[in-house]
Amino acid sequence: MGKLPELVRSMKAEQTDVIVVVGYPTAQACKVENVPTVVAYGAAAKGNTLLNYCGVDASDIPYVADLSPHKQGKLLPGSHIPVVAPDRIAQTRPDIVLILPWNLATE
């Protein structure tokens, strides 16, 4: 068996994990109360690709925080999630911060 089917299975598993973390389908669609607030950190291309693959958009994640002032004030391509300064996390105190690029975990 080739590596492609294995890769596809792995990608589907990751997609399911992300969808579970962000509470998709959205609380509004399911009429669920007390769904945790999820935001993301790191507006890098690899994280944006993951969000688009999983069908996550601004109705699921209200913002992505990023340290780069060049990215702040912009929208992620495809998902149209706004990019904000990291201090927004302290201001809004979300329940979950999804770190998109693993290499930024120490920030």
Side-chain angles (χ1 to χ4, degrees):
M1 181 148 305
K3 292 186 179 187
L4 187 57
E6 183 180 322
L7 176 62
V8 170
R9 277 193 296 278
S10 175
M11 289 173 60
K12 287 292 184 188
E14 292 297 323
Q15 180 185 35
T16 300
D17 290 347
V18 170
I19 290 170
V20 168
V21 168
V22 299
Y24 192 86
T26 64
Q28 292 175 341
C30 293
K31 306 286 192 268
V32 176
E33 294 181 22
N34 301 322
V35 172
T37 303
V38 180
V39 301
Y41 187 87
K46 57 188 145 200
N48 187 54
T49 300
L50 177 66
L51 294 177
N52 284 321
Y53 175 72
C54 295
V56 175
D57 62 23
S59 67
D60 304 303
I61 295 180
Y63 64 84
V64 174
D66 197 282
L67 197 55
S68 171
H70 302 290
K71 295 180 182 180
Q72 296 166 12
K74 307 271 192 316
L75 299 175
L76 292 182
S79 63
H80 299 104
I81 300 172
V83 181
V84 300
D87 61 350
R88 177 78 67 86
I89 295 172
Q91 294 168 1
T92 61
R93 302 183 50 81
D95 298 306
I96 298 170
V97 178
L98 177 63
I99 300 173
L100 296 174
W102 61 269
N103 55 312
L104 297 182
T106 58
E107 283 186 20

